[in-house]
């Protein structure tokens, strides 16, 4: 499946509209690392792959739980090509997803984000699922993004 400049080729749903959360708040005096990670979520909300990749180092490690491997969404994807491949795979198992980052915690070269994602199955069922994203940064780019979530609940939604 060819990758477009959209993060999701799935049909838009109400649950995919950008969140009105800390991510869309007025500019603040955040650290450069926090600003970079907020920009990643803004790109994701816009489904702007190029803007998202602009935040990521060319050799980024994009890590998801091994428990998602049954859908070819688990494990570590490497580099921009790996991220593009991962993003192109998502619409084959989901009809939509909207991330709502709720809390950003920064320490040195790490930013941890606590939030919820509204995920819609291909059959139209939407669930609100918690996530934790752990970002590692170096030289103004994200070098690692690790997505931590309950894979059992996610599997149930995909299969519903």
């Amino acid at each position: 499946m060819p990758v477009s400049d959209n993060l999701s080729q799935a049909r838009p749903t109400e649950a995919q509209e950008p969140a009105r959360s800390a991510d869309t708040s007025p500019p603040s005096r955040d650290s450069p690392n926090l600003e970079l990670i907020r920009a990643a979520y803004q790109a994701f909300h816009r489904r702007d792959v190029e803007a998202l990749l602009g935040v990521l180092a060319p050799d980024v490690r994009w890590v998801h739980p091994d428990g998602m491997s049954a859908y070819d969404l688990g494990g570590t994807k490497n580099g921009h090509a790996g991220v593009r491949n991962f993003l192109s795979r998502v619409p084959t198992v989901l009809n939509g997803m909207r991330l709502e980052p709720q809390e950003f915690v920064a320490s040195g070269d790490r930013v941890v984000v606590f939030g919820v994602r509204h995920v819609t199955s291909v059959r139209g069922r939407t669930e609100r699922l918690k996530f934790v994203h752990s970002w590692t940064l170096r030289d103004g780019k994200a070098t690692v993004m690790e997505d931590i979530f309950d894979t059992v609940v996610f599997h149930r939604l995909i299969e519903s």
Side-chain angles (χ1 to χ4, degrees):
M1 171 176 194
V3 178
S4 71
D5 286 341
N6 293 325
L7 287 175
S8 172
Q9 296 173 352
R11 292 180 306 279
T13 65
E14 180 179 322
Q16 290 177 307
E17 293 302 316
R20 302 291 180 231
S21 66
D23 186 60
T24 58
S25 62
S28 64
R29 298 177 199 260
D30 286 339
S31 72
N33 285 346
L34 273 175
E35 288 178 11
L36 186 74
I37 298 311
R38 286 182 193 277
Y41 288 102
Q42 290 165 357
F44 193 85
H45 284 299
R46 293 188 315 269
R47 295 174 188 82
D48 185 344
V49 172
E50 294 309 313
L52 176 63
L53 295 177
V55 169
L56 306 177
D59 61 345
V60 66
R61 289 181 39 238
W62 190 260
V63 184
H64 286 78
D66 289 334
M68 296 302 292
S69 293
Y71 306 102
D72 199 24
L73 297 175
T76 301
K77 311 301 183 205
N78 293 298
H80 287 182
V83 173
R84 280 183 185 278
N85 184 49
F86 174 87
L87 295 173
S88 72
R89 181 77 184 122
V90 173
T92 68
V93 296
L94 297 173
N95 193 37
M97 180 171 12
R98 176 174 51 94
L99 299 178
E100 286 185 23
Q102 297 178 324
E103 182 179 356
F104 294 77
V105 180
S107 178
D109 65 351
R110 299 296 297 274
V111 176
V112 177
V113 181
F114 298 87
V116 295
R117 59 171 49 103
H118 298 265
V119 183
T120 303
S121 71
V122 293
R123 292 172 188 85
R125 181 173 160 216
T126 300
E127 294 280 338
R128 182 178 183 266
L129 309 172
K130 293 180 181 180
F131 71 81
V132 175
H133 288 164
S134 175
W135 297 82
T136 304
L137 299 106
R138 182 185 68 239
D139 300 327
K141 297 286 185 182
T143 58
V144 178
M145 191 293 297
E146 183 173 3
D147 191 358
I148 303 158
F149 58 91
D150 185 339
T151 60
V152 172
V153 175
F154 215 101
H155 277 258
R156 281 189 212 139
L157 177 62
I158 291 172
E159 298 299 327
S160 67

